[in-house]
């Protein structure tokens, strides 16, 4: 429907032109401000590094979360605790909160959070069993 109306407006506007004016209008340049051109270009080039940074933040948090699950003290425990706190924070409104990072990357934050918590439950039990076995043997 919109195309029909647009075509009609085009026909009415161009039907008033003479043949020479119609031919000349084919060779007129489209007017585009440099700010419009560079604004579109800038938006594409600037967003790419930001997206890569957000992906790196998310990847680092997931690695810290998974690699340090069994850590009981020290740096590994701190890394795990910070990553878990960041992942579980649902009310974060700052630009690099877990929810914002996931949404900007096109992920559903609740789905990713749920998957990580499921992974923690499954792998936490395994680490717990290993620890209990070592404790009983020693």
């Amino acid at each position: 429907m919109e195309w029909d109306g647009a075509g009609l407006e085009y026909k009415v506007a161009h039907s008033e032109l003479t043949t020479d004016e119609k031919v000349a209008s084919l060779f007129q340049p489209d007017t585009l401000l440099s700010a419009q051109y560079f604004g579109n270009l800038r938006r594409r080039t600037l967003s790419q590094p930001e997206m890569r940074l957000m992906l790196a933040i998310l990847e680092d948090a997931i690695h810290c979360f998974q690699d340090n699950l069994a850590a009981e003290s020290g740096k590994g425990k701190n890394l795990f605790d910070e990553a878990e706190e960041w992942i579980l924070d649902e009310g974060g409104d700052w630009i690099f909160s877990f929810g914002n990072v996931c949404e900007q990357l096109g992920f559903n934050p609740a789905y990713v959070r749920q998957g990580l918590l499921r992974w923690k439950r499954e792998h936490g039990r395994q680490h717990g069993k290993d620890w209990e076995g070592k404790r009983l043997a020693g």
Side-chain angles (χ1 to χ4, degrees):
M1 290 284 176
E2 291 178 26
W3 289 103
D4 294 337
L8 181 61
E9 290 175 11
Y10 178 80
K11 289 177 186 175
V12 170
H14 281 67
S15 64
E16 298 170 0
L17 300 175
T18 65
T19 305
D20 291 336
E21 291 173 332
K22 288 179 184 177
V23 171
S25 71
L26 293 174
F27 299 103
Q28 291 179 350
D30 290 332
T31 55
L32 180 66
L33 297 175
S34 61
Q36 292 172 320
Y37 173 75
F38 289 114
N40 288 338
L41 180 66
R42 188 174 296 123
R43 235 177 276 125
R44 273 184 270 144
T45 57
L46 287 181
S47 68
Q48 189 63 28
E50 294 162 353
M51 299 294 275
R52 290 180 19 208
L53 174 63
M54 288 183 172
L55 182 61
I57 290 170
L58 182 62
E59 285 179 342
D60 184 54
I62 291 171
H63 286 294
C64 289
F65 183 80
Q66 292 180 333
D67 294 344
N68 298 299
L69 176 64
E72 294 184 11
S73 63
K75 184 179 179 181
K77 176 76 170 136
N78 289 337
L79 288 172
F80 174 80
D81 290 341
E82 288 177 8
E84 184 178 40
E85 181 181 344
W86 182 71
I87 291 165
L88 295 177
D89 184 21
E90 293 184 23
D93 60 347
W94 55 292
I95 190 166
F96 291 111
S97 69
F98 178 78
N100 284 339
V101 167
C102 286
E103 287 176 4
Q104 289 298 317
L105 294 172
F107 302 130
N108 181 341
Y111 183 78
V112 175
R113 185 179 292 119
Q114 181 183 20
L116 289 169
L117 292 175
R118 184 179 328 114
W119 181 91
K120 178 186 172 188
R121 280 191 309 270
E122 291 171 2
H123 289 79
R125 287 189 203 128
Q126 290 175 353
H127 290 295
K129 287 179 183 175
D130 292 344
W131 177 252
E132 287 174 21
K134 288 179 185 176
R135 215 168 171 189
L136 292 174

